[in-house]
Amino acid sequence: MKRRHFLMAVSGLALAGAAGMSAGRWHRPYLLNPCRSTTLPQALAASPWLARTWQGLDPARVWDCHVHIAGIGDGDEGVKVGPKLDSVLHPKLYAQRLFYMNAGCVATQPGTVDENYVLRMATQVAEMPVGVKLMLFAFDWFHDERGEVSVERSTFFVANDYARRVAAAHPAAFEWVASIHPYRADALDQLEAAAAQGARAVKWLPAAQNIDPASARCDAFYAALARLDLPLISHCGEEKAVQSSQLEPLGNPLRLRRAMAAGVRVVVAHCATMGEDEDLDQPGRHRPSFELFARLMGQAEWKDHLHGDISAILLRNRRPDVIKTLLVREDWHGRLLNGSDYPLPGILPLMSPKTLATAGLLPKAAVPDLELLREHNPVYFDLALKRTLSWQGKSFSPQVFATRDFFDKGQHELRD
Ligand SMILES: [Zn+2]
């Protein structure tokens, strides 16, 4: 698939979206994000729902801890797309990619897509109070059992050096998170280098990268993470955003006990809110992944090591009772970390404020402003939406959003 075809396909989708709107059946676009200016219209900027977002919150502590760098590889060597994601022979993956690009608002000139994706993120941050930052994820290749790269089996790749450079170019907007496969021969050198260059954490997606967190092969890597005090953000539960196939069991939250036992601070991405995994404590039985995460949260031995990020928990494919549990478990809030999983909040069909309001999780009056905010600034939208959620009078406490305290080690030392 050539870049030109890709861009034509994006504009084809855009036309489909516009047709839906002009038919007059929809108050708001429903398929494609119209990518309005990140400068908010006066009425929206004055919305009480936006003002509420910042009540009791210090913007300088608000780091969105789960943000993806996407692109098509038309910039430098920093982003590469695996063959499956780049082929119309895999229509589902290909369509996903088109939506990612639309959410990032980059239907633009060939040669500028990667760059515009980054700029669009930076302008969204610039429209929020000073101090807010996004933590950008690198993404390592799939590696086989011998620790060799397999481009063929990879979905996409974002180089550590690229994430680092993007963050360095926009220091007021971004921090960066390394991705290092523990089976690589140079894994420890890579980790040392990333820590020295300011990485705030390491990100794994075990089922997509072929990493078994319960394997002894990770032990040296875990020892180094613990020594460097770098958190490990690891995807748990079913993975819909990138293809993962038969490697799904590697995302079992219980497999992360090995990392925690080695002293690593672990962040379970999305609090494992989707899918089922084998209950390794009772082999042969399967339980919702979220239940296994909840079990770990309840075990005193992991109190200082286990955390969960609340990215993607509001997607339509999550059950409302999972969201309700996260809201009412105030005893967990000190261990939850906010992230958006951007660009996903910009993909209109994935999240529905209206449905959340119908489920009683959101005031109906907040829906129009939130939906309009998403068309201008999906990053801000995700934060404002989570700050507005409540169930039985319980909301996420401000500390869930003050994630800098967890990732900024210097800050820890200052406070202690
Ligand atoms: Zn993600």
Side-chain angles (χ1 to χ4, degrees):
M1 191 75 177
K2 296 283 185 305
R3 240 164 251 146
R4 192 167 359 106
H5 295 157
F6 160 73
L7 291 167
M8 281 165 59
V10 169
S11 47
L13 273 175
L15 281 176
M21 276 180 359
S22 63
R25 288 175 54 215
W26 310 93
H27 297 293
R28 298 241 65 84
Y30 61 96
L31 184 60
L32 283 191
N33 197 312
C35 295
R36 302 185 199 285
S37 159
T38 51
T39 306
L40 303 183
Q42 194 58 43
L44 186 55
S47 164
W49 303 106
L50 263 66
R52 277 178 51 152
T53 301
W54 303 106
Q55 277 170 17
L57 215 56
D58 172 8
R61 312 240 68 74
V62 176
W63 286 4
D64 178 335
C65 81
H66 192 130
V67 176
H68 293 281
I69 294 179
I72 64 171
D74 70 346
D76 58 19
E77 293 295 288
V79 179
K80 292 200 173 68
V81 176
K84 279 184 289 205
L85 220 61
D86 204 23
S87 164
V88 284
L89 297 176
H90 297 86
K92 207 175 134 226
L93 286 173
Y94 193 76
Q96 274 178 6
R97 188 178 148 205
L98 294 187
F99 275 111
Y100 275 35
M101 293 296 98
N102 168 244
C105 295
V106 291
T108 178
Q109 295 301 314
T112 63
V113 171
D114 291 1
E115 185 187 342
N116 277 307
Y117 182 89
V118 168
L119 291 177
R120 181 81 184 180
M121 288 193 294
T123 55
Q124 288 178 76
V125 174
E127 292 298 324
M128 297 167 77
V130 173
V132 173
K133 287 192 186 186
L134 311 184
M135 293 175 61
L136 308 182
F137 288 173
F139 197 81
D140 205 355
W141 296 107
F142 182 108
H143 284 64
D144 65 20
E145 298 305 317
R146 296 167 303 151
E148 304 286 341
V149 171
S150 170
V151 174
E152 206 49 42
R153 300 178 75 183
S154 297
T155 42
F156 63 97
F157 168 77
V158 179
N160 288 323
D161 192 56
Y162 182 68
R164 180 189 64 75
R165 280 185 285 123
V166 167
H170 304 269
F174 303 141
E175 297 285 335
W176 73 283
V177 172
S179 182
I180 299 161
H181 200 296
Y183 303 172
R184 306 169 58 122
D186 64 350
L188 296 182
D189 292 344
Q190 291 271 338
L191 182 58
E192 292 282 354
Q197 293 172 331
R200 296 295 186 171
V202 169
K203 172 72 193 315
W204 286 354
L205 209 169
Q209 294 174 318
N210 189 36
I211 299 169
D212 180 2
S215 164
R217 298 184 70 175
C218 300
D219 286 350
F221 196 82
Y222 289 152
L225 280 174
R227 177 171 49 79
L228 297 164
D229 198 16
L230 269 188
L232 173 66
I233 304 172
S234 193
H235 182 98
C236 283
E238 199 179 328
E239 173 55 44
K240 281 276 193 275
V242 294
Q243 200 188 31
S244 51
S245 69
Q246 67 277 29
L247 299 173
E248 204 72 69
L250 299 180
N252 188 326
L254 300 182
R255 303 192 84 78
L256 285 163
R257 279 177 173 147
R258 193 176 188 102
M260 296 190 286
V264 178
R265 292 189 290 155
V266 168
V267 180
V268 169
H270 324 305
C271 294
T273 44
M274 198 164 68
E276 287 198 345
D277 278 302
E278 184 179 359
D279 183 349
L280 300 174
D281 298 336
Q282 289 181 286
R285 288 186 58 193
H286 281 70
R287 309 297 312 161
S289 309
F290 182 66
E291 191 181 308
L292 301 179
F293 167 74
R295 182 187 301 166
L296 292 175
M297 287 294 274
Q299 292 172 339
E301 56 195 313
W302 314 126
K303 186 171 62 69
D304 297 327
H305 294 96
L306 179 65
H307 306 265
D309 88 35
I310 60 166
S311 69
I313 60 162
L314 303 180
L315 300 191
R316 281 179 188 270
N317 54 18
R318 264 59 174 189
R319 299 194 325 269
D321 46 310
V322 166
I323 304 168
K324 291 170 185 172
T325 301
L326 289 169
L327 286 167
V328 300
R329 288 298 302 260
E330 288 174 316
D331 57 322
W332 286 2
H333 287 185
R335 298 158 69 189
L336 299 183
L337 301 159
N338 182 53
S340 64
D341 214 357
Y342 183 86
L344 298 192
I347 302 178
L348 303 194
L350 286 189
M351 259 157 117
S352 169
K354 205 177 284 179
T355 305
L356 293 168
T358 306
L361 288 158
L362 201 66
K364 283 199 170 65
V367 171
D369 284 0
L370 289 172
E371 288 188 339
L372 182 59
L373 179 59
R374 170 165 55 177
E375 296 167 19
H376 290 275
N377 191 330
V379 172
Y380 202 162
F381 158 75
D382 189 80
L383 178 67
L385 176 59
K386 288 188 181 131
R387 291 286 285 155
T388 314
L389 283 182
S390 71
W391 180 248
Q392 295 176 339
K394 304 265 199 297
S395 305
F396 284 126
S397 80
Q399 65 192 131
V400 175
F401 303 90
T403 58
R404 179 176 176 175
D405 299 342
F406 180 78
F407 293 103
D408 192 344
K409 279 185 300 175
Q411 202 60 36
H412 269 296
E413 281 148 22
L414 278 179
R415 289 188 151 199
D416 290 347

